[in-house]
Amino acid sequence: MSFPATAAAAPGSAPAAGPVPHRWLILTFIGVAQLMVVLDATIVNIALPTAQADLHFSNADRQWVITAYALAFGSLLLLGGRLADLCGRRNAFLIGLIGFALASALGGSAGSFAVLIVARVVQGIFSALLAPAALSLLIVTFTDPAERGKAIGIFGAVAGSGASVGLLLGGFLTDEFSWRWTLYINILFAAVAFVGGLALLHRTPRSRTHLDLPGTVLASTGLFCLVYGFANAVSHGWSSARSWGFLAASAVLLTAFGYWQTTATHPLLPPRVLTDRDRAGAFVALLVLGSGLYGELLFMTYFLQQILHFSPVRTGFAFLPMNACIMLTAMSGASVLIPRFGPKLVASGGMLFALAGAVWLTRLDPDSGYAAHVLPGLILTGLGMGCVFATGMSHATVGVAGEDAGVAGAMINTMQQVGGSLGPALLNTVVVAGTTDYLASHHSKLPSAITAASVHGYTTAFAWAAGMFAVGLVATGLLFRNRAATA
């Protein structure tokens, strides 16, 4: 597989010969941008109570600070990926950085809840342009298969650890400065990535196809309904007619979108992007991993803070060993493990490690400690996550034509975003039901019983996360071919 080099002189021109100059430095700036996008999904979470007290919004409104970003980001990713192909990935990358920085400045200076929500929506819009452009720039920058494997491993490590880094950074900034700095910090990230991108990236070839407007409307509204349905289930439960109504609408719209893509002259998501078994396996792996991971991280955060009484900053530090494991297996997975053992074994092994980590966490009780009881589960989960991220990101783009690199990158982010919405929504229901059943069966409202009930709810969620990873284990075993990756 070959891609146009990032250093191509102009749209339609021949790709530059030889390796792209300064490609590892380019990767650094792409990684900074990716880290900014990923950690923004969690960095604000810890700051929410402080922001709520400052701006005087209700508990019911608090969820919208998270949901507003997720809705805009998730629903516009496919459009953002195709715009990156049509307008040039360098242009999309730089515009995305500028827009994200301005939205972060608006959110950080917000004097009302409404302004904060508008800022979060605009952040999501520009993230949907920035994230696919960043990944597609990586693909076209590293043309050597061995180097691309290392680069994707590093990129996967950043993507995999971003959520827990956001928890740590969010806690530190809130404690030491203000909740507003969880938004202002993005200006620094964006400035670093913009200066580097402006200096080192050259114009990339643009796709000569036209934008699929009907497909854009169907995909965007379908994904909006899907993410909103899951988000509504978190706040109102699965008994809510609104949750099921939006999920049903998403099923209809996305089915219509799939049909339209088989007949459209210039499809938003060309069917050829999805037809390869390895790419299908990669997308499913990232969807399942996102579902289990984000749900597990959410309720492990609750366990550390509510049961072990960790501060926000200490909670962030508690996830650092998991981050180290993600980086270890993500970087070695793409460059060493996959070429040697093939994607089937690496992805399935990663799912097995994540499954083992979730099963370990089901043994927690109110007397559990961090080092002996929590840490082993986090280490196992981190080792598995890195393997799956590396396999998913590398094989989601293997064999993709250069003009489809942006939309392939968008699919990677879409799978993670949908999984990240599905997991917390489903597991939140599991936690509530498990906690309620425990209290009902023990007929007690003593503080010790309430604590035990909360832990029971959390461990039930970890058991369901293990079930998700088990599904991923079967799916990766069936879909991935038993061979090494080919470039």
Side-chain angles (χ1 to χ4, degrees), residues 39 43 164-174 182 185 189 316:
L39 66 80
I43 191 173
S164 47
V165 170
L167 294 174
L168 173 59
L169 188 58
F172 172 77
L173 292 172
T174 302
T182 62
I185 191 66
F189 283 120

Side-chain angles (χ1 to χ4, degrees), residues 44-105:
V44 177
N45 294 19
I46 288 179
L48 278 178
T50 308
Q52 182 179 4
D54 190 14
L55 299 182
H56 309 291
F57 53 86
S58 66
N59 288 334
D61 287 337
R62 187 166 63 184
Q63 180 66 27
W64 277 102
V65 180
I66 301 170
T67 303
Y69 177 83
L71 284 173
F73 186 34
S75 61
L76 296 175
L77 270 166
L78 287 178
L79 173 60
R82 183 49 81 189
L83 287 177
D85 291 331
L86 293 173
C87 303
R89 299 170 194 112
R90 177 183 184 268
N91 294 338
F93 182 76
L94 297 177
I95 292 170
L97 287 169
I98 293 172
F100 197 94
L102 293 175
S104 299

Side-chain angles (χ1 to χ4, degrees), residues 154-457:
I154 295 170
F155 192 86
V158 171
S161 61
S164 47
V165 170
L167 294 174
L168 173 59
L169 188 58
F172 172 77
L173 292 172
T174 302
D175 285 349
E176 298 298 323
F177 300 99
S178 162
W179 69 268
R180 298 180 183 276
W181 278 95
T182 62
L183 293 161
Y184 285 144
I185 191 66
N186 292 322
I187 301 173
L188 176 61
F189 283 120
V192 171
F194 182 86
V195 171
L198 189 65
L200 297 176
L201 293 173
H202 298 273
R203 285 185 297 167
T204 50
R206 303 178 186 181
S207 173
R208 296 185 181 277
T209 60
H210 300 285
L211 182 63
D212 174 17
L213 290 177
T216 298
V217 173
L218 289 170
S220 297
T221 54
L223 289 170
F224 178 92
C225 291
L226 183 65
V227 175
Y228 184 85
F230 290 141
N232 193 75
V234 172
S235 54
H236 295 90
W238 289 100
S239 60
S240 168
R242 179 180 293 182
S243 298
W244 287 109
F246 273 92
L247 291 175
S250 77
V252 173
L253 290 166
L254 292 177
T255 299
F257 169 70
Y259 173 76
W260 173 255
Q261 296 308 280
T262 64
T263 61
T265 305
H266 303 290
L268 180 69
L269 177 61
R272 59 181 176 269
V273 174
L274 304 176
T275 52
D276 182 79
R277 270 183 58 187
D278 284 337
R279 283 201 295 277
F283 292 141
V284 171
L286 292 170
L287 174 67
V288 171
L289 189 67
S291 301
L293 167 63
Y294 281 93
E296 190 175 306
L297 277 178
L298 175 64
F299 295 107
M300 178 49 63
T301 300
Y302 290 161
F303 180 86
L304 292 173
Q305 293 191 2
Q306 296 179 357
I307 307 302
L308 299 188
H309 305 294
F310 281 18
S311 68
V313 173
R314 191 179 180 190
T315 299
F317 276 110
F319 286 110
L320 286 182
M322 185 179 73
N323 287 347
C325 292
I326 292 172
M327 293 180 181
L328 174 66
T329 52
M331 289 189 288
S332 62
S335 60
V336 178
L337 298 178
I338 296 173
R340 182 172 181 179
F341 299 108
K344 181 191 289 287
L345 188 58
V346 176
S348 299
M351 286 292 183
L352 188 60
F353 270 101
L355 168 61
V359 170
W360 180 280
L361 295 176
T362 62
R363 304 164 58 198
L364 295 175
D365 59 46
D367 298 320
S368 295
Y370 172 74
H373 305 102
V374 174
L375 182 58
L378 294 182
I379 289 175
L380 287 170
T381 302
L383 291 172
M385 281 168 43
C387 288
V388 178
F389 270 118
T391 313
M393 288 195 168
S394 61
H395 281 73
T397 55
V398 167
V400 173
E403 63 269 21
D404 296 330
V407 76
M411 276 298 296
I412 292 175
N413 286 279
T414 300
M415 291 298 101
Q416 292 177 268
Q417 184 66 30
V418 171
S421 300
L422 169 62
L426 178 60
L427 297 187
N428 185 69
T429 304
V430 169
V431 169
V432 171
T435 302
T436 303
D437 291 345
Y438 185 95
L439 288 173
S441 64
H442 287 74
H443 306 290
S444 175
K445 293 185 178 180
L446 293 174
S448 59
I450 294 174
T451 298
S454 297
V455 173
H456 177 72

